[in-house]
Amino acid sequence: MINKKECVAMLLAGGQGSRLFALTNKIAKPAVTYGGKYRIIDFPLSNCVNSGIDTVGVLTQYQPLILNDYIGNGEPWDLDRSYGGVHILSPYQAKHGSEWFKGTANAIYQNIPFIKRYNPDYVLILSGDHIYKMDYADMLRRHKTSGADCTIAAIKVPLSEASRFGILNVDEDGVIYEFEEKPKKPKSDLASMGIYIFSAQKLYKYLEEDEADEKSSNDFGKNVLPRMLAAGEKMVSYTFNGYWRDVGTINSLYESNMDLLGEPEFDISDPSWRIRSRNPIAPPQYLGDESRVVNSIIVSGCDIEGTVENSILSHDVTIGKGAVVRNSVIYAGVTIDENSTVDHAIIDENVKIGKGVKIGDEQTGGDKKITVLGRDIVVSDNKTVESGDIIDENV
């Protein structure tokens, strides 16, 4: 008998990410750049390896090309294994036809044969669009010692924001007695993080029941978890106390990048919990005689002749003389020509910004209007892009 795996991870990475607008027109949300040198999917993949989980199925659907190419054989995350490792799982044509993944539960259901190849005792379900560092092994210990059929990772949120999440109502031992999906009047501040550990046989059972229910929307939060709870299965919470951000909107993605600057709220340089990525080989940064860089992250290959303040630059970004970039996130391969200004913006890969261009503006107060330029576009000389505009075609 071949060796079995104690736990297999299934990473849901097929979402369209429509709330990121121009940033996800051509790529899947988990492939969006974060922190200059990373992509969002680096975090759950790195968490898996750091937690001792070496078998990961990545479920892709929307615009998978760049994401598939980025993951490759999994070598940057030490997931290039002869038995296990990382596998890209896309919808495929079967004997009785083919269909897209209809929901989170249906996506896992369609890939039960992959899971069963490794005969695991436990299955970890992950989302590919969160920024955090978590020891899944600690969560698995909680699952085993409690005797649970399902364990849900949860984080405390302000009660005023709780209606945006799936909310867990638990007893003093953390046993879940009620699960409410985005309740209008939440009773608890314990929000589901969309991270689940199931005992494998229970997962198969409830996915099969969910698939047989024609009225189901095939979603874990709306259908599978409430069904398990109603059937009396033991479900417990695992409270996470670290940094966690759902970067599903322009503002949340922007703010999470800004959390890396100054005295960072989120430390991605901790050698004890390394975040791995597939980085291109690039030359060192170059700072010209008139350049000025303040409180910023500058990745290799950048050529800076102008001013960069409170910003994050990915690799191979060029900032011309007299150009000023403030409070912005600039993705790889962007060129910002002489005397242009960029403020409170996210600029996607390979954008070319001409001379004397003005993009965005200074923002103060709470909710900021972040200007977004989609990948590969060109902004001609002396053009203006107003604060909060989201642009996905040449200007």
Side-chain angles (χ1 to χ4, degrees), residues 296-312:
S296 297
I297 293 174
I298 311 294
V299 178
S300 56
C302 291
D303 187 339
I304 301 173
E305 300 279 358
T307 297
V308 179
E309 297 178 358
N310 200 51
S311 296
I312 296 173

Side-chain angles (χ1 to χ4, degrees), residues 60-78:
T60 64
Q61 181 160 277
Y62 172 79
Q63 295 281 18
L65 183 61
I66 292 175
L67 182 62
N68 294 357
D69 185 57
Y70 183 73
I71 294 172
N73 68 350
E75 185 273 334
W77 305 271
D78 193 26

Side-chain angles (χ1 to χ4, degrees), residues 254 326-328 343-345 361-363 368-371:
Y254 175 83
R326 294 191 182 98
N327 311 304
S328 294
D343 203 335
H344 282 88
D361 208 339
E362 183 179 358
Q363 301 283 313
K368 296 178 175 62
K369 296 165 65 176
I370 307 303
T371 309

Side-chain angles (χ1 to χ4, degrees), residues 213-288:
D213 182 359
E214 295 181 355
K215 297 180 180 179
S216 175
S217 55
N218 306 122
D219 182 82
F220 276 106
K222 295 177 182 177
N223 307 111
V224 175
L225 300 179
R227 185 188 293 267
M228 290 185 70
L229 200 60
E233 305 291 2
K234 186 172 184 181
M235 304 174 69
V236 303
S237 64
Y238 170 80
T239 303
F240 177 70
N241 296 312
Y243 181 95
W244 178 81
R245 293 290 184 273
D246 180 343
V247 288
T249 66
I250 293 295
N251 278 68
S252 62
L253 177 64
Y254 175 83
E255 294 296 341
S256 186
N257 273 276
M258 293 297 107
D259 285 343
L260 303 176
L261 300 178
E263 297 181 4
E265 186 176 345
F266 183 49
D267 182 9
I268 53 176
S269 302
D270 181 0
S272 69
W273 198 268
R274 181 185 167 198
I275 303 300
R276 302 164 183 254
S277 68
R278 181 184 295 279
N279 287 318
I281 298 174
Q285 305 96 326
Y286 172 78
L287 306 181

Side-chain angles (χ1 to χ4, degrees), residues 14-58:
Q16 182 175 351
S18 57
R19 293 179 299 165
L20 291 179
F21 302 99
L23 298 180
T24 51
N25 278 352
K26 299 177 182 179
I27 64 172
K29 181 163 59 171
V32 169
T33 297
Y34 173 83
K37 64 176 291 187
Y38 303 100
R39 295 183 187 262
I40 295 171
I41 200 168
D42 287 331
F43 292 84
L45 287 178
S46 298
N47 288 340
C48 283
V49 173
N50 292 335
S51 302
I53 297 172
D54 64 7
T55 305
V56 184
V58 180

